[in-house]
């Protein structure tokens, strides 16, 4: 029974180590994937409450960011042509969609999200290396 427990712990440690190494090696792939998917979500953004639009709003509201690199990314979307920036781009609450760039968040979401993801990957990698070396 003790050998089975030790094998199980070893297996979990190895899986953590592999995931950490993959995360570190492919962090640029993760960054490009986030950027491409976020750009696609902006292009398909609408007010009907679909999942992609909800995710964009949640990220922009939570991290106080707007667009991929900055608020100008919205200007290439159909939503901006019809209504302007979405409410989630504004620093103030209860702003209706409009085209006033001065009220929109200046920071792009890619610049805001990537340091968070990278710091989490570093923490997971550090813990995994420590556990694997024990």
């Amino acid at each position: 029974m003790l050998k089975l427990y030790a094998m199980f712990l070893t297996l979990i440690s190895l899986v953590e180590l592999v995931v950490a190494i993959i995360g570190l090696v492919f962090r640029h792939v993760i960054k490009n994937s986030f950027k491409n998917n976020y750009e696609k979500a902006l292009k398909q953004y609408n007010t009907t409450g679909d999942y992609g639009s909800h995710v964009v709003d949640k990220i922009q509201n939570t991290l106080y960011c707007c667009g991929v690199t900055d608020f100008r990314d919205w200007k290439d979307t159909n939503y901006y042509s019809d209504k302007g920036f979405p409410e989630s781009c504004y620093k103030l609450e209860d702003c209706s969609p409009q085209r006033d760039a001065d009220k929109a968040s200046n920071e792009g979401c890619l610049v805001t999200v990537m340091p968070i993801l990278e710091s989490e990957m570093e923490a997971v990698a550090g813990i995994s290396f420590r556990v694997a070396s024990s």
Side-chain angles (χ1 to χ4, degrees), residues 87-134:
E87 289 181 37
S88 59
C89 264
Y90 292 107
K91 303 168 196 168
L92 306 172
E93 296 204 13
D94 298 327
C95 281
S96 59
Q98 51 185 295
R99 288 179 174 77
D100 190 359
D102 292 333
K103 294 181 181 176
S105 297
N106 294 328
E107 194 83 29
C109 293
L110 181 67
V111 176
T112 308
V113 168
M114 288 317 297
I116 295 169
L117 288 177
E118 288 173 358
S119 69
E120 295 299 324
M121 282 191 280
E122 288 172 5
V124 169
I127 291 169
S128 299
F129 288 135
R130 178 67 183 135
V131 168
S133 65
S134 296

